[in-house]
Amino acid sequence: MNEEQSENNTNETIIKLEGLSKRFGYGDAASYALQNFDLEVKRGEFIMIMGPSGCGKTTLLNIIGLLDTPTSGKYLLNDELASRISASRQARLRAKKIGFIFQNFNLIPNLPIIENVALPLVYSGYHKTRRLIKASEALERFNMKDKEYYLPFQLSGGQQQRAAIARAIVSHPEIILADEPTGNLDSRSSTTVMEELRRIHSEGNTIIMVTHNPALTSYATRVINMLDGTIDTDIKTVKDSDLPVPIERKTPRKIFKSRRKSNKKKKGKK
Ligand SMILES: Nc1ncnc2c1ncn2[C@@H]1O[C@H](COP(=O)(O)OP(=O)(O)O)[C@@H](O)[C@H]1O
Ligand SMILES: [Mg+2]
Protein backbone atom coordinates (compact mmCIF):
# COMPACT_ATOMS: atom_id res chain seq x y z
CA MET A 1 0.00 0.00 0.00
CA ASN A 2 1.50 3.40 -0.88
CA GLU A 3 1.25 6.48 1.33
CA GLU A 4 -1.68 8.00 -0.49
CA GLN A 5 -3.72 4.82 -0.15
CA SER A 6 -3.01 4.36 3.54
CA GLU A 7 -4.22 7.90 4.17
CA ASN A 8 -7.46 7.19 2.36
CA ASN A 9 -8.81 3.67 2.69
CA THR A 10 -11.59 4.28 0.14
CA ASN A 11 -9.14 3.08 -2.48
CA GLU A 12 -9.55 -0.49 -1.27
CA THR A 13 -11.05 -2.83 -3.88
CA ILE A 14 -13.92 -4.87 -2.47
CA ILE A 15 -15.24 -6.53 -5.63
CA LYS A 16 -13.22 -7.72 -8.57
CA LEU A 17 -14.52 -9.62 -11.58
CA GLU A 18 -12.05 -10.98 -14.10
CA GLY A 19 -13.07 -12.48 -17.43
CA LEU A 20 -16.39 -13.52 -15.96
CA SER A 21 -18.89 -15.35 -18.17
CA LYS A 22 -22.31 -16.77 -17.48
CA ARG A 23 -23.90 -19.18 -19.93
CA PHE A 24 -27.48 -20.34 -19.77
CA GLY A 25 -28.45 -23.53 -21.60
CA TYR A 26 -26.30 -25.97 -23.56
CA GLY A 27 -25.39 -26.74 -27.17
CA ASP A 28 -27.56 -24.99 -29.74
CA ALA A 29 -29.65 -23.45 -26.97
CA ALA A 30 -26.64 -21.90 -25.16
CA SER A 31 -26.61 -18.15 -24.71
CA TYR A 32 -24.35 -15.87 -22.69
CA ALA A 33 -25.85 -13.49 -20.13
CA LEU A 34 -22.34 -12.20 -19.33
CA GLN A 35 -19.32 -12.43 -21.58
CA ASN A 36 -15.73 -11.96 -20.48
CA PHE A 37 -16.85 -9.35 -17.98
CA ASP A 38 -14.25 -7.31 -16.04
CA LEU A 39 -15.13 -4.99 -13.17
CA GLU A 40 -13.29 -3.52 -10.20
CA VAL A 41 -15.34 -1.86 -7.46
CA LYS A 42 -13.80 0.34 -4.75
CA ARG A 43 -15.29 0.71 -1.31
CA GLY A 44 -17.66 3.68 -1.23
CA GLU A 45 -18.63 3.67 -4.90
CA PHE A 46 -22.27 4.23 -5.88
CA ILE A 47 -22.53 2.49 -9.22
CA MET A 48 -25.58 2.72 -11.46
CA ILE A 49 -25.92 0.06 -14.13
CA MET A 50 -28.07 0.74 -17.16
CA GLY A 51 -28.74 -1.13 -20.37
CA PRO A 52 -31.53 -2.74 -22.39
CA SER A 53 -33.63 -5.56 -20.99
CA GLY A 54 -31.82 -8.91 -21.25
CA CYS A 55 -28.28 -7.46 -21.33
CA GLY A 56 -27.26 -9.28 -18.13
CA LYS A 57 -27.79 -6.70 -15.34
CA THR A 58 -29.71 -9.00 -12.97
CA THR A 59 -27.35 -11.90 -13.68
CA LEU A 60 -24.43 -9.62 -12.74
CA LEU A 61 -26.03 -8.55 -9.43
CA ASN A 62 -26.93 -12.17 -8.61
CA ILE A 63 -23.33 -13.27 -9.11
CA ILE A 64 -21.94 -10.35 -7.08
CA GLY A 65 -24.49 -11.15 -4.34
CA LEU A 66 -23.46 -14.83 -4.26
CA LEU A 67 -26.93 -15.91 -5.39
CA ASP A 68 -25.57 -17.36 -8.63
CA THR A 69 -22.22 -18.63 -9.87
CA PRO A 70 -20.37 -17.76 -13.08
CA THR A 71 -19.72 -20.40 -15.76
CA SER A 72 -16.10 -19.23 -16.05
CA GLY A 73 -13.85 -16.43 -14.85
CA LYS A 74 -12.94 -15.13 -11.41
CA TYR A 75 -14.94 -13.32 -8.74
CA LEU A 76 -12.96 -11.89 -5.82
CA LEU A 77 -14.94 -10.58 -2.85
CA ASN A 78 -12.63 -8.75 -0.43
CA ASP A 79 -9.66 -10.44 -2.15
CA GLU A 80 -11.17 -13.88 -1.58
CA LEU A 81 -12.13 -16.17 -4.47
CA ALA A 82 -15.92 -16.59 -4.25
CA SER A 83 -15.70 -20.09 -5.73
CA ARG A 84 -13.61 -21.18 -2.74
CA ILE A 85 -16.11 -19.96 -0.14
CA SER A 86 -18.21 -22.78 1.34
CA ALA A 87 -21.98 -22.70 0.89
CA SER A 88 -22.58 -22.08 4.59
CA ARG A 89 -20.12 -19.15 4.72
CA GLN A 90 -21.65 -17.76 1.53
CA ALA A 91 -25.02 -17.78 3.30
CA ARG A 92 -23.54 -15.95 6.27
CA LEU A 93 -21.80 -13.40 3.99
CA ARG A 94 -25.10 -12.80 2.19
CA ALA A 95 -26.81 -12.09 5.49
CA LYS A 96 -24.07 -9.96 7.07
CA LYS A 97 -22.11 -8.25 4.30
CA ILE A 98 -24.59 -7.87 1.47
CA GLY A 99 -27.98 -6.16 1.46
CA PHE A 100 -30.46 -6.85 -1.34
CA ILE A 101 -33.21 -4.55 -2.60
CA PHE A 102 -35.53 -5.77 -5.36
CA GLN A 103 -37.98 -4.10 -7.72
CA ASN A 104 -40.97 -5.99 -6.26
CA PHE A 105 -39.80 -5.51 -2.63
CA ASN A 106 -39.75 -9.32 -1.93
CA LEU A 107 -41.28 -9.00 1.54
CA ILE A 108 -42.73 -12.20 2.98
CA PRO A 109 -46.50 -11.65 2.77
CA ASN A 110 -47.64 -13.36 5.98
CA LEU A 111 -44.98 -11.83 8.25
CA PRO A 112 -45.41 -8.43 9.93
CA ILE A 113 -43.03 -5.75 8.65
CA ILE A 114 -40.87 -5.87 11.79
CA GLU A 115 -40.27 -9.61 11.36
CA ASN A 116 -39.47 -9.16 7.67
CA VAL A 117 -36.85 -6.57 8.60
CA ALA A 118 -35.40 -8.80 11.34
CA LEU A 119 -34.84 -11.75 8.97
CA PRO A 120 -31.19 -11.05 7.97
CA LEU A 121 -30.30 -10.95 11.69
CA VAL A 122 -30.91 -14.68 12.07
CA TYR A 123 -27.16 -15.11 11.46
CA SER A 124 -26.19 -12.35 13.90
CA GLY A 125 -26.25 -14.52 17.01
CA TYR A 126 -28.76 -12.15 18.67
CA HIS A 127 -31.80 -13.57 20.45
CA LYS A 128 -35.20 -12.90 18.90
CA THR A 129 -36.05 -9.97 21.20
CA ARG A 130 -32.76 -8.28 20.35
CA ARG A 131 -33.38 -8.91 16.63
CA LEU A 132 -36.80 -7.27 16.86
CA ILE A 133 -35.33 -4.27 18.69
CA LYS A 134 -32.72 -3.88 15.91
CA ALA A 135 -35.44 -4.18 13.26
CA SER A 136 -37.52 -1.61 15.04
CA GLU A 137 -34.57 0.80 15.13
CA ALA A 138 -33.98 0.29 11.40
CA LEU A 139 -37.66 1.01 10.68
CA GLU A 140 -37.52 4.13 12.82
CA ARG A 141 -34.68 5.39 10.64
CA PHE A 142 -37.00 5.24 7.66
CA ASN A 143 -39.96 6.78 9.50
CA MET A 144 -41.78 3.45 9.44
CA LYS A 145 -41.95 2.67 13.15
CA ASP A 146 -45.73 3.15 13.30
CA LYS A 147 -46.11 0.45 10.59
CA GLU A 148 -44.10 -2.23 12.40
CA TYR A 149 -46.98 -4.64 12.93
CA TYR A 150 -48.67 -4.11 9.57
CA LEU A 151 -48.53 -6.86 6.98
CA PRO A 152 -46.81 -5.95 3.69
CA PHE A 153 -50.07 -5.75 1.69
CA GLN A 154 -51.36 -3.06 4.08
CA LEU A 155 -48.61 -0.67 2.97
CA SER A 156 -48.16 1.45 -0.16
CA GLY A 157 -45.42 0.56 -2.64
CA GLY A 158 -43.18 3.32 -1.34
CA GLN A 159 -43.64 2.16 2.26
CA GLN A 160 -42.97 -1.47 1.30
CA GLN A 161 -39.75 -0.46 -0.42
CA ARG A 162 -38.65 1.59 2.60
CA ALA A 163 -39.27 -1.50 4.76
CA ALA A 164 -37.27 -3.56 2.24
CA ILE A 165 -34.40 -1.05 2.50
CA ALA A 166 -34.57 -1.26 6.30
CA ARG A 167 -34.29 -5.05 5.93
CA ALA A 168 -31.34 -4.64 3.53
CA ILE A 169 -29.35 -2.47 5.95
CA VAL A 170 -30.39 -3.97 9.33
CA SER A 171 -27.21 -6.04 9.64
CA HIS A 172 -25.04 -3.09 8.50
CA PRO A 173 -23.83 -4.73 5.27
CA GLU A 174 -20.94 -3.08 3.41
CA ILE A 175 -22.44 -3.74 0.01
CA ILE A 176 -25.98 -2.90 -1.11
CA LEU A 177 -27.25 -4.46 -4.34
CA ALA A 178 -30.42 -2.93 -5.72
CA ASP A 179 -32.18 -4.25 -8.83
CA GLU A 180 -34.44 -1.48 -10.18
CA PRO A 181 -35.53 -0.50 -6.66
CA THR A 182 -37.66 2.39 -7.94
CA GLY A 183 -39.10 0.48 -10.91
CA ASN A 184 -42.52 0.03 -9.27
CA LEU A 185 -42.70 3.40 -7.51
CA ASP A 186 -44.28 6.76 -8.34
CA SER A 187 -41.84 9.64 -8.67
CA ARG A 188 -42.34 10.93 -5.12
CA SER A 189 -41.70 7.55 -3.47
CA SER A 190 -38.84 7.06 -5.89
CA THR A 191 -37.20 10.29 -4.68
CA THR A 192 -37.63 9.24 -1.02
CA VAL A 193 -36.02 5.86 -1.74
CA MET A 194 -33.13 7.52 -3.63
CA GLU A 195 -32.54 9.98 -0.78
CA GLU A 196 -32.34 7.02 1.64
CA LEU A 197 -29.82 5.30 -0.64
CA ARG A 198 -27.83 8.53 -0.84
CA ARG A 199 -27.71 8.64 2.96
CA ILE A 200 -26.60 5.00 3.20
CA HIS A 201 -23.91 5.69 0.59
CA SER A 202 -22.67 8.83 2.37
CA GLU A 203 -21.93 6.63 5.39
CA GLY A 204 -19.25 4.86 3.35
CA ASN A 205 -21.26 1.93 2.02
CA THR A 206 -20.89 0.59 -1.49
CA ILE A 207 -24.01 0.53 -3.65
CA ILE A 208 -24.54 -1.16 -6.99
CA MET A 209 -27.92 -0.33 -8.44
CA VAL A 210 -29.63 -1.25 -11.71
CA THR A 211 -31.99 1.34 -13.15
CA HIS A 212 -33.80 2.23 -16.35
CA ASN A 213 -34.17 5.85 -15.31
CA PRO A 214 -31.33 8.07 -16.61
CA ALA A 215 -32.46 10.89 -14.27
CA LEU A 216 -31.33 8.84 -11.26
CA THR A 217 -27.71 8.69 -12.43
CA SER A 218 -27.14 12.04 -10.68
CA TYR A 219 -26.99 10.05 -7.41
CA ALA A 220 -24.18 7.82 -8.69
CA THR A 221 -20.41 8.16 -8.53
CA ARG A 222 -20.06 5.91 -11.57
CA VAL A 223 -22.37 4.98 -14.44
CA ILE A 224 -21.96 1.76 -16.39
CA ASN A 225 -23.89 1.04 -19.57
CA MET A 226 -24.12 -2.63 -20.47
CA LEU A 227 -24.81 -4.19 -23.85
CA ASP A 228 -25.14 -7.91 -24.65
CA GLY A 229 -23.41 -9.13 -21.51
CA THR A 230 -20.47 -6.73 -21.63
CA ILE A 231 -19.63 -3.18 -20.56
CA ASP A 232 -20.39 -0.62 -23.26
CA THR A 233 -19.43 2.56 -21.39
CA ASP A 234 -18.07 3.10 -17.87
CA ILE A 235 -17.82 6.65 -16.52
CA LYS A 236 -16.68 7.70 -13.04
CA THR A 237 -18.16 11.07 -12.04
CA VAL A 238 -16.40 11.13 -8.64
CA LYS A 239 -12.68 10.52 -8.12
CA ASP A 240 -11.78 7.45 -6.01
CA SER A 241 -10.08 9.72 -3.49
CA ASP A 242 -13.34 11.67 -2.99
CA LEU A 243 -15.49 8.61 -2.22
CA PRO A 244 -17.09 8.56 1.26
CA VAL A 245 -15.15 6.88 4.04
CA PRO A 246 -16.89 4.29 6.25
CA ILE A 247 -17.81 5.49 9.72
CA GLU A 248 -16.43 3.33 12.52
CA ARG A 249 -19.31 1.71 14.37
CA LYS A 250 -18.88 0.63 17.93
CA THR A 251 -20.79 -2.55 18.68
CA PRO A 252 -23.04 -2.34 21.76
CA ARG A 253 -20.79 -4.86 23.51
CA LYS A 254 -17.70 -2.69 22.99
CA ILE A 255 -19.47 0.41 24.27
CA PHE A 256 -20.60 -1.56 27.33
CA LYS A 257 -17.07 -2.83 28.00
CA SER A 258 -15.43 0.57 27.68
CA ARG A 259 -18.04 2.06 30.00
CA ARG A 260 -17.40 -0.61 32.59
CA LYS A 261 -13.66 0.03 32.37
CA SER A 262 -14.06 3.76 32.92
CA ASN A 263 -16.41 3.08 35.85
CA LYS A 264 -13.76 0.86 37.42
CA LYS A 265 -11.16 3.58 36.94
CA LYS A 266 -13.42 6.10 38.68
CA LYS A 267 -14.00 3.71 41.58
CA GLY A 268 -10.27 3.08 41.87
CA LYS A 269 -9.62 6.80 42.17
CA LYS A 270 -12.03 7.17 45.09
N1 LIG B 1 -32.33 -18.69 -15.22
C1 LIG B 1 -32.15 -18.41 -16.52
N2 LIG B 1 -32.26 -19.38 -17.47
C2 LIG B 1 -32.05 -19.12 -18.77
N3 LIG B 1 -31.74 -17.90 -19.26
C3 LIG B 1 -31.64 -16.89 -18.37
C4 LIG B 1 -31.84 -17.09 -16.96
N4 LIG B 1 -31.65 -15.90 -16.33
C5 LIG B 1 -31.37 -15.01 -17.29
N5 LIG B 1 -31.35 -15.59 -18.52
C6 LIG B 1 -31.04 -14.94 -19.81
O1 LIG B 1 -29.85 -14.19 -19.65
C7 LIG B 1 -29.93 -12.94 -20.29
C8 LIG B 1 -29.72 -11.83 -19.30
O2 LIG B 1 -30.78 -11.78 -18.37
P1 LIG B 1 -30.86 -10.75 -17.16
O3 LIG B 1 -29.58 -10.81 -16.43
O4 LIG B 1 -32.10 -11.02 -16.41
O5 LIG B 1 -30.94 -9.37 -17.96
P2 LIG B 1 -31.45 -7.92 -17.48
O6 LIG B 1 -31.54 -7.94 -15.97
O7 LIG B 1 -30.42 -6.98 -18.00
O8 LIG B 1 -32.76 -7.70 -18.11
C9 LIG B 1 -31.31 -12.91 -20.95
O9 LIG B 1 -31.16 -13.29 -22.29
C10 LIG B 1 -32.10 -13.92 -20.17
O10 LIG B 1 -33.09 -14.49 -20.96
MG1 LIG C 1 -33.15 -7.53 -14.71
Side-chain angles (χ1 to χ4, degrees):
M1 208 186 256
N2 64 35
E3 237 177 64
E4 218 171 60
Q5 276 175 322
S6 59
E7 265 175 26
N8 186 345
N9 64 358
T10 55
N11 283 344
E12 175 190 350
T13 297
I14 54 171
I15 290 167
K16 193 168 187 179
L17 309 178
E18 282 175 4
L20 202 91
S21 294
K22 176 69 180 180
R23 185 193 65 221
F24 286 111
Y26 294 92
D28 290 346
S31 68
Y32 283 84
L34 295 174
Q35 277 198 72
N36 208 7
F37 200 94
D38 295 321
L39 179 68
E40 193 172 335
V41 180
K42 306 275 187 193
R43 188 181 294 283
E45 285 198 87
F46 190 158
I47 302 179
M48 291 235 185
I49 297 181
M50 305 194 47
S53 179
C55 72
K57 305 180 295 294
T58 296
T59 304
L60 176 68
L61 284 196
N62 287 346
I63 290 175
I64 292 176
L66 302 171
L67 293 171
D68 203 350
T69 50
T71 312
S72 59
K74 272 191 201 165
Y75 170 22
L76 291 149
L77 176 60
N78 285 321
D79 290 328
E80 192 177 5
L81 262 180
S83 56
R84 296 264 175 83
I85 306 175
S86 70
S88 62
R89 238 188 94 230
Q90 286 202 8
R92 255 177 290 141
L93 285 174
R94 276 198 300 273
K96 286 185 167 178
K97 297 234 176 214
I98 305 169
F100 293 92
I101 306 167
F102 305 90
Q103 179 172 1
N104 53 2
F105 325 129
N106 281 15
L107 296 167
I108 296 177
N110 55 351
L111 278 188
I113 292 298
I114 188 165
E115 292 197 26
N116 264 286
V117 173
L119 279 176
L121 294 174
V122 165
Y123 287 86
S124 65
Y126 292 131
H127 287 295
K128 178 146 191 193
T129 318
R130 181 99 205 119
R131 299 204 294 265
L132 292 179
I133 292 170
K134 292 258 164 207
S136 181
E137 284 168 2
L139 282 163
E140 191 167 17
R141 229 188 111 165
F142 297 98
N143 296 321
M144 292 281 296
K145 198 168 160 53
D146 55 329
K147 304 286 190 296
E148 276 176 5
Y149 287 95
Y150 283 53
L151 289 170
F153 81 91
Q154 293 171 307
L155 303 185
S156 72
Q159 289 167 337
Q160 287 189 55
Q161 194 59 304
R162 262 149 58 211
I165 298 177
R167 178 185 58 185
I169 57 112
V170 73
S171 55
H172 301 286
E174 300 163 14
I175 301 166
I176 312 282
L177 303 175
D179 200 350
E180 300 188 44
T182 62
N184 284 345
L185 302 180
D186 58 71
S187 69
R188 223 185 88 218
S189 305
S190 167
T191 304
T192 314
V193 161
M194 289 315 300
E195 288 302 327
E196 296 299 356
L197 289 178
R198 189 207 293 276
R199 187 157 61 118
I200 294 164
H201 171 246
S202 71
E203 293 166 357
N205 296 298
T206 310
I207 303 182
I208 305 178
M209 170 177 156
V210 169
T211 183
H212 280 298
N213 186 351
L216 299 185
T217 55
S218 60
Y219 289 89
T221 65
R222 179 177 182 185
V223 181
I224 293 176
N225 268 288
M226 283 178 62
L227 200 61
D228 294 336
T230 55
I231 291 180
D232 186 30
T233 60
D234 181 354
I235 296 165
K236 286 190 180 184
T237 50
V238 172
K239 278 190 295 185
D240 287 349
S241 54
D242 292 338
L243 294 172
V245 184
I247 0 175
E248 279 289 333
R249 257 179 312 103
K250 276 191 177 180
T251 63
R253 195 183 293 270
K254 274 186 195 158
I255 291 169
F256 183 60
K257 269 191 183 161
S258 59
R259 241 185 238 152
R260 257 210 321 223
K261 257 188 203 163
S262 56
N263 281 348
K264 267 187 195 165
K265 266 186 204 161
K266 273 180 209 160
K267 274 182 193 166
K269 273 183 187 169
K270 271 180 194 170

